[in-house]
Amino acid sequence: MALPATHHCPACSDGSSSEEVLHEDLVVGAPLSMEDLTDAQRLDRFARKYAHDRCQVKEVRRVPHDSLSGYAWSVRFVESS
């Protein structure tokens, strides 16, 4: 699967806040087989690939993009303490 080996959250806080922080990554170049998965399977696949301390994937959706395939995946995360 063509996803980054690690996830870098530029919007994540330093952990001093008790509020949730919503942030979003745009994944371009994920395989077309992602289309064949259910929403729950896609969510699980991205969550396992992107998970790091205090972050949880909340939504994965297909979005238009100017790439060869014409779309990308929007992955929304929530950070909480």
Side-chain angles (χ1 to χ4, degrees):
M1 168 173 206
L3 297 178
T6 59
H7 169 64
H8 174 68
C9 288
C12 284
S13 72
D14 60 7
S16 60
S17 173
S18 60
E19 296 181 20
E20 289 187 338
V21 176
L22 179 65
H23 50 103
E24 182 176 18
D25 281 345
L26 192 63
V27 178
V28 178
L32 292 175
S33 61
M34 293 294 288
E35 280 289 310
D36 298 332
L37 302 177
T38 66
D39 288 341
Q41 290 170 323
R42 263 193 298 274
L43 188 67
D44 182 61
R45 171 109 20 125
F46 279 98
R48 285 186 285 127
K49 190 73 175 177
Y50 275 66
H52 66 84
D53 295 345
R54 297 181 318 274
C55 280
Q56 221 176 12
V57 175
K58 293 296 185 181
E59 178 185 50
V60 176
R61 62 187 170 87
R62 189 175 140 169
V63 294
H65 190 269
D66 294 334
S67 66
L68 292 175
S69 60
Y71 70 91
W73 295 95
S74 167
V75 184
R76 299 184 84 185
F77 293 82
V78 177
E79 178 194 17
S80 59
S81 57

